[in-house]
Amino acid sequence: MVAQAEHILTEVPGVERVGSVRLRRLGRVLRAEADIVVRHDLSLFQSHAVAMEAEHRLIHDLPRLRATTVHADPDGLDGTDHHATLLAHR
């Protein structure tokens, strides 16, 4: 199902790459968390719209998925790690 979720996300307009995808079973339903990469020059509004469309498609296309959170990261111009400040906490 993770591969299916990754495929769904790659088909969403505005998604440049798919990072990690996690699925958790909660009784009979699923919950998903996904990281996507969007272009660095998108506005916050545009990035949010891409993430919302990704969530919407996952909920419609994955059986028993009831809730999802999609985190959008900007694609760095020079390979910048936008989570570098958190590395010591992981």
Side-chain angles (χ1 to χ4, degrees):
M1 288 191 88
V2 170
Q4 184 180 0
E6 289 171 344
H7 177 74
I8 291 165
L9 292 169
T10 62
E11 298 294 314
V12 175
V15 173
E16 298 292 313
R17 289 189 313 280
V18 176
S20 63
V21 175
R22 296 160 302 281
L23 296 172
R24 292 184 176 88
R25 189 172 304 280
L26 302 170
R28 295 183 181 161
V29 299
L30 292 174
R31 170 145 178 87
E33 297 171 3
D35 298 326
I36 60 172
V37 177
V38 298
R39 287 190 355 239
H40 70 278
D41 58 347
L42 294 182
S43 69
L44 175 60
F45 179 81
Q46 292 167 317
S47 297
H48 184 264
V50 172
M52 291 293 94
E53 180 61 21
E55 287 188 28
H56 188 239
R57 289 200 188 183
L58 284 173
I59 288 171
H60 277 279
D61 294 347
L62 276 181
R64 295 189 306 272
L65 184 66
R66 296 295 178 261
T68 183
T69 301
V70 175
H71 176 83
D73 286 320
D75 193 9
L77 283 173
D78 57 0
T80 302
D81 182 355
H82 297 283
H83 294 115
T85 57
L86 299 175
L87 287 177
H89 302 287
R90 293 184 178 172

